[in-house]
Amino acid sequence: MLIGLYTGTRAAAIAAASPRREHGRAFVDLNAGIFYRLKIGKRATNKRQPPAPLPPRLLAHMRRWERKKIIANCFVEWHGQPVKSVKNAFARAVNVANLDLTDGNVTPHTLRHTAATWLMQRGADPWEAAGFLGMSVKVLIDTYGHHHPDYMRGAAFAITQKSRVESAAKVGTPSVRKAS
C-alpha cells in the first residue's frame, strides 16, 4: 500500500517490483532511489511506466525491508514468493479496515487516484506530477486539476479587480479610444 500511495504506480508493476534486476520484473534501484516500473524485457505500452524517483520516506522503508530480509525477492510476497496479483490481499485489507462499507469501489487503483490527488492538493507542478505518475498533463489536469490550490485562484482574484481601462482612467492615463 505504501508503494502505491507514494508512487501512484499501478498494482501490476508493484507486484512485479524487485530490488534485483531480473527479467520480467520491475526494478527498484535502492542505491539511486529510482523505481523502474516497466518490467525488464517488456515493451512499453500506452500505460506509461516511466522510471521515477522514490520519495525519501518510502525509499527508507524499502531499504529497511531489504536490509532486514523482510522481503526475499520482491517487495510484495506471500510466503517468500512473489505474488502475481494484489487483488485478494487488497480486498482483505479493505474489508478489515471497513472501507468496503462505502460504495464497494475501493481497489488497488484507488491508491493511484489518491497519489494524484495528493500531488495536486500539495501544489505540485502539473508537468512534474504527470511525469512522476506516468500520465499525460491533460489527463492529470482534466481529472485531478480541481484539487490544486491554484485552481481558479486567478479568476477569483480577477473578478474583483478594476478593468485596465477603469484603472487607467482613474490615474489620468489616456485610455485607448476608438477613432470616430
Side-chain angles (χ1 to χ4, degrees):
M1 292 212 185
L2 287 177
I3 298 170
L5 282 172
Y6 286 151
T7 67
T9 301
R10 289 181 173 82
I14 294 171
S18 172
R20 290 174 264 307
R21 287 184 191 269
E22 296 177 21
H23 186 78
R25 298 241 164 260
F27 171 59
V28 178
D29 185 337
L30 294 175
N31 294 322
I34 304 289
F35 187 178
Y36 296 92
R37 297 182 272 208
L38 184 63
K39 293 177 184 177
I40 296 171
K42 187 175 182 210
R43 295 176 67 186
T45 66
N46 287 340
K47 300 288 185 188
R48 300 177 186 178
Q49 295 177 302
L54 290 167
R57 192 179 273 181
L58 176 60
L59 181 58
H61 283 299
M62 296 173 97
R63 285 174 174 161
R64 180 175 46 82
W65 299 336
E66 168 77 352
R67 185 180 66 252
K68 292 191 171 212
K69 308 221 182 298
I70 293 170
I71 60 165
N73 297 307
C74 291
F75 288 98
V76 182
E77 298 175 333
W78 177 251
H79 295 296
Q81 297 299 312
V83 299
K84 290 183 177 40
S85 171
V86 296
K87 287 181 183 176
N88 290 338
F90 194 87
R92 176 73 179 126
V94 165
N95 183 270
V96 168
N98 287 322
L99 295 175
D100 55 351
L101 300 177
T102 56
D103 61 5
N105 289 325
V106 181
T107 67
H109 201 72
T110 303
L111 302 176
R112 182 169 169 79
H113 292 298
T114 302
T117 300
W118 284 357
L119 284 168
M120 290 294 90
Q121 288 174 337
R122 293 170 181 155
D125 174 82
W127 186 80
E128 280 193 29
F132 180 78
L133 294 166
M135 64 177 64
S136 71
V137 175
K138 181 181 178 354
V139 167
L140 180 72
I141 295 296
D142 289 353
T143 310
Y144 306 100
H146 63 282
H147 292 293
H148 200 283
D150 293 338
Y151 180 68
M152 292 196 260
R153 293 278 187 237
F157 179 76
I159 198 75
T160 60
Q161 299 303 303
K162 300 243 184 236
S163 71
R164 290 182 182 159
V165 173
E166 288 175 301
S167 296
K170 192 173 188 178
V171 177
T173 308
S175 59
V176 178
R177 294 166 109 182
K178 204 174 194 180
S180 357

